[in-house]
Amino acid sequence: ATRAPLVRHAERPAFADLVPPGEAAAHARALLAPLGTVPALAETLRAWLSLHGSWDRTAVALSVHRNTVRQRVARCAALLGTDLDDPDVRMELWFALRHLRG
């Protein structure tokens, strides 16, 4: 009745399918802009999120000391002005990092 476009899902529906890739990438760039000058921060955040917040596993994956991971993740939280203990924040950052990767 509203003549709104029909949303179609891929074979395996995902939330990421609901946002056009260009818009998702633009949102990701804006959200993660504070990390832009230090590539190691985004890399560490991506690894840390992918490993479910494990300091030790992230340190091994990145070949750095676990305290380095802690410092980088704390710096990410400060630069982004967000609480990384919040699962909603983690989810949004994960989707943003996935869209930046390409």
Side-chain angles (χ1 to χ4, degrees):
T2 63
R3 302 273 185 222
L6 181 64
V7 175
R8 301 232 182 250
H9 301 282
E11 246 180 70
R12 183 176 168 259
F15 286 117
D17 296 332
L18 298 175
V19 180
E23 290 180 33
H27 175 71
R29 283 189 301 274
L31 181 66
L32 299 169
L35 307 182
T37 60
V38 186
L41 293 179
E43 176 188 14
T44 301
L45 184 59
R46 178 182 282 119
W48 183 74
L49 289 170
S50 75
L51 295 168
H52 309 288
S54 171
W55 308 113
D56 292 326
R57 290 172 51 203
T58 303
V60 169
L62 298 176
S63 300
V64 298
H65 194 275
R66 71 186 307 253
N67 288 342
T68 300
V69 173
R70 285 182 177 272
Q71 291 169 353
R72 288 180 185 174
V73 170
R75 183 74 178 138
C76 288
L79 288 171
L80 296 170
T82 192
D83 177 8
L84 294 178
D85 290 330
D86 182 335
D88 290 331
V89 170
R90 287 184 183 204
M91 181 186 66
E92 184 175 11
L93 291 171
W94 177 249
F95 281 124
L97 287 162
R98 287 187 62 213
H99 282 287
L100 277 188
R101 180 178 274 180

